[in-house]
Amino acid sequence: MDKKSLRIVFMGTPDFAVESLRQLVENGYQVAGVVTMPDKAVGRHGSVLQPSPVKQYAEKMGLPILQPEKLKDETFLRELKQLRADLQIVVAFRMLPDVVWDMPKYGTFNLHASLLPQYRGAAPINWAIIHGERETGVTTFFLSHEIDTGRIILQRRLPIAETDDAGIVHDALMRLGASLTIETVDLLLAGNDVIDTTAQETLYQSESELHPAPKLFKDTCRINWHRPAKKVYDFIRGLSPHPAAWTELQVSENESIPLKIFQSAICPETHFLEPGIIRTDSKNLLEIAVEDGFIRLLSVQLAGKKRMTSKDFLNGNKHLLQRVK
């Protein structure tokens, strides 16, 4: 079987998945259909339906699209079966039930944005940076019953620079992952019915060695200033630009307002200030005390305002600067 006769069903939703789908289409693989999330209600009253980035691309290319609410719905399963997939590819979608991932004769593989078995879960890029990793990567693996635990097909590595944030790493892994998706399909096509895969359990001795990558929530993203500067710095860049690390400016004894922080720098210094105390010249410099120095804020955003430099922030908000909590 060649790439033009192999029927592929692609499953994905966000921008990260679009690049893999685009490379499949532009390199002449037969994408028999696309499965993505239902359109999302947006706007003040939820009156506008916004299609996912994957749906937008699939419509542009004239690809058949399925948008199931429930993956075990009989109508969806019937429509999926009618696409006669030889192979299913999953990139940033949902956890699939057995009846879906076990359907094609070549199985279903997933592209994951980490070097599995590390950083299993919904936010692998963010957590790798938060933990100060110097390297990450992408992995293709066959789906199995437990999420992100299937047998590894291929991996490719990517260095993380000290100044990289989650947005930079996301875009680099998106491109690297798309190339790995193509490479994995070609390997399956040339595999002579047996693909050399690696069981994840052989790559670690104890689960205590593994770093999980759970979904991020608002409370997860709140900055703890009672930590070393490097930990706080990595936390901020690991959540930038989305969903963004945040803190609260205490503007009075009974009032505080949220402040998102997108970019910062480490300023090592011995001091005797309590963590969370603000140091500023009221013109250009905005720093917050941590255990072993200061975190200099470079790019911030008040609720309801646009993202701005600290200098611009100080121009109009000096009255807010007491401390953070």
Side-chain angles (χ1 to χ4, degrees), residues 53-94:
V54 163
K55 180 182 178 180
Q56 293 177 49
Y57 179 80
E59 286 184 325
K60 181 180 175 182
M61 295 295 106
L63 302 173
I65 300 168
L66 299 179
Q67 295 180 271
E69 291 280 354
K70 297 180 180 180
L71 296 176
K72 291 184 179 181
D73 179 77
E74 289 298 327
T75 300
F76 164 66
L77 293 175
R78 184 169 59 252
E79 291 173 339
L80 181 62
K81 191 171 294 186
Q82 289 171 353
L83 293 175
R84 297 181 289 110
D86 299 306
L87 173 69
Q88 291 176 158
I89 300 173
V90 180
V91 183
F93 191 49
R94 297 152 63 182

Side-chain angles (χ1 to χ4, degrees), residues 205-225:
Q205 293 183 337
S206 168
E207 290 199 0
S208 63
E209 303 170 30
L210 302 181
H211 295 298
K215 185 176 179 179
L216 296 167
F217 297 95
K218 183 178 180 180
D219 285 348
T220 315
C221 302
R222 184 168 186 158
I223 301 170
N224 176 7
W225 299 104

Side-chain angles (χ1 to χ4, degrees), residues 265-276:
I266 298 174
C267 300
E269 183 180 330
T270 300
H271 65 80
F272 300 97
L273 297 176
E274 182 183 352

Side-chain angles (χ1 to χ4, degrees), residues 3 77 120 143 267 297:
K3 67 181 184 181
L77 293 175
R120 295 168 175 165
L143 291 194
C267 300
L297 307 190

Side-chain angles (χ1 to χ4, degrees), residues 147-220:
I147 189 167
D148 297 336
T149 60
R151 295 184 68 88
I152 291 171
I153 308 169
L154 293 172
Q155 289 186 322
R156 293 293 176 266
R157 297 176 178 270
L158 178 81
I160 302 175
E162 190 72 18
T163 55
D164 284 348
D165 62 20
I168 292 171
V169 176
H170 170 281
D171 291 352
L173 289 179
M174 179 178 67
R175 295 187 292 269
L176 185 63
S179 297
L180 188 64
T181 296
I182 298 297
E183 189 177 347
T184 302
V185 175
D186 289 345
L187 180 65
L188 295 173
L189 283 170
N192 298 318
D193 299 325
V194 179
I195 301 297
D196 186 17
T197 58
T198 302
Q200 293 190 37
E201 296 76 19
T202 65
L203 301 178
Y204 61 93
Q205 293 183 337
S206 168
E207 290 199 0
S208 63
E209 303 170 30
L210 302 181
H211 295 298
K215 185 176 179 179
L216 296 167
F217 297 95
K218 183 178 180 180
D219 285 348
T220 315

